[in-house]
Amino acid sequence: MVEHRLDDVFQALGHPTRRAMLTDLAARERTVGQLAEPFAISFAAASKHVKVLERAGLLERTVIGRTHVCHLAPEPIEEAYRWLGRYERFWQERLDALEAELRREHDAS
Amino acid sequence: MVEHRLDDVFQALGHPTRRAMLTDLAARERTVGQLAEPFAISFAAASKHVKVLERAGLLERTVIGRTHVCHLAPEPIEEAYRWLGRYERFWQERLDALEAELRREHDAS
DNA sequence: AATATCCTCAACCAAATGGTTGAACATAGA
DNA sequence: TCTATGTTCAACCATTTGGTTGAGGATATT
């Protein structure tokens, strides 16, 4: 079931440290150490975050010698994006309606 | 900070029951009881899920007498969608590059 | 007024999460 | 071979999460 992975993906995205790591990885490949560096947490804690991202399929790891090089993986975020996209249309309609209403109220005043 | 809300939004999306509730709400307004009905959990548990969605701003509640009518709220999912959109572009480029490379390899063989 | 309905709250529980520290492992460099 | 480096693992801790049950509040219904 595809739905199962969405649990992991959205949950992984639900922590600012992990989102920052993804942002970092969007620019270039990063070792676990490099990913950990910006944060005031222990190396082991950062390593756990990396593992969460990996379990969600958002990140893939290539072990080169003693360093682990990480890069983004495309599929799961695509899934999440498409899931949200189903609602995006709905919400866009609502936003348009809201905007129109506010405009009406403003014009009436 | 906008980032703070994204924590709540993604975390709220990270549970299948809550995503199913949102799917339900996309079709029409629902009372808490109606939202709870499809799930084999206690009413109180469902009520907690609703509260999580509400805290994330994904759902708004209108109390009418003793019933609480819920509807989707547009803004936070828009935020999440846009956040993912930044990476969607990135990943799409990667996918395109990958596809192009595969095509090249195929043509060369 | 009595009762049924819709929902929240409080207390509790087990499991997951996010953090720590210390040890261990594998590899690179002296 | 010895040591330094990059990373994981294990044990532990506090907090959060997702569930339960039982009680209670507010509103409809009779």
Side-chain angles (χ1 to χ4, degrees):
Chain A
M1 183 80 167
V2 169
E3 276 291 303
H4 165 261
R5 170 171 273 178
L6 276 184
D7 289 358
D8 292 339
V9 172
F10 281 127
Q11 201 216 336
L13 293 173
H15 195 286
T17 297
R18 290 191 292 259
R19 284 202 306 285
M21 285 178 166
L22 291 181
T23 300
D24 199 0
L25 283 172
R28 51 196 180 299
E29 287 191 341
R30 286 303 206 176
T31 70
V32 174
Q34 289 170 331
L35 286 174
E37 203 223 348
F39 306 103
I41 57 178
S42 71
F43 198 93
S47 172
K48 283 188 189 177
H49 281 304
V50 171
K51 214 188 317 186
V52 171
L53 292 169
E54 194 179 23
R55 182 164 49 89
L58 290 162
L59 172 157
E60 281 165 5
R61 183 192 305 243
T62 310
V63 179
I64 298 180
R66 68 192 166 187
T67 77
H68 297 203
V69 179
C70 306
H71 63 272
L72 288 179
E75 299 88 352
I77 209 92
E78 273 289 319
E79 256 173 63
Y81 189 72
R82 277 196 302 269
W83 194 90
L84 288 181
R86 292 161 45 202
Y87 299 90
E88 204 276 331
R89 170 196 283 268
F90 170 86
W91 273 303
Q92 198 54 52
E93 285 166 10
R94 295 296 166 114
L95 279 176
D96 291 349
L98 184 68
E99 193 191 356
E101 174 149 357
L102 288 175
R103 202 182 309 277
R104 257 199 318 280
E105 285 175 11
H106 178 264
D107 292 349
S109 67
Chain B
M1 183 78 170
V2 169
E3 276 291 305
H4 164 260
R5 169 169 272 179
L6 276 185
D7 289 359
D8 291 340
V9 173
F10 280 127
Q11 202 215 335
L13 292 173
H15 196 286
T17 298
R18 290 191 291 259
R19 284 201 309 282
M21 285 178 165
L22 292 182
T23 300
D24 199 359
L25 284 172
R28 53 196 179 300
E29 286 190 344
R30 286 304 209 175
T31 69
V32 174
Q34 290 170 332
L35 285 175
E37 204 223 347
F39 305 104
I41 56 177
S42 71
F43 198 93
S47 172
K48 283 189 190 177
H49 281 304
V50 170
K51 213 186 321 185
V52 171
L53 291 168
E54 194 177 23
R55 182 164 49 88
L58 290 162
L59 172 157
E60 280 165 5
R61 181 191 310 240
T62 311
V63 179
I64 299 179
R66 67 190 166 188
T67 76
H68 297 202
V69 179
C70 305
H71 63 273
L72 289 178
E75 298 89 352
I77 210 92
E78 273 289 319
E79 255 173 62
Y81 190 71
R82 277 197 300 270
W83 194 89
L84 287 182
R86 291 162 46 201
Y87 298 92
E88 206 277 329
R89 258 193 306 283
F90 170 85
W91 275 305
Q92 199 54 55
E93 285 165 13
R94 294 295 164 115
L95 282 176
D96 291 349
L98 185 66
E99 193 191 356
E101 176 149 354
L102 288 174
R103 201 182 309 278
R104 257 199 317 280
E105 285 175 10
H106 178 265
D107 290 349
S109 65

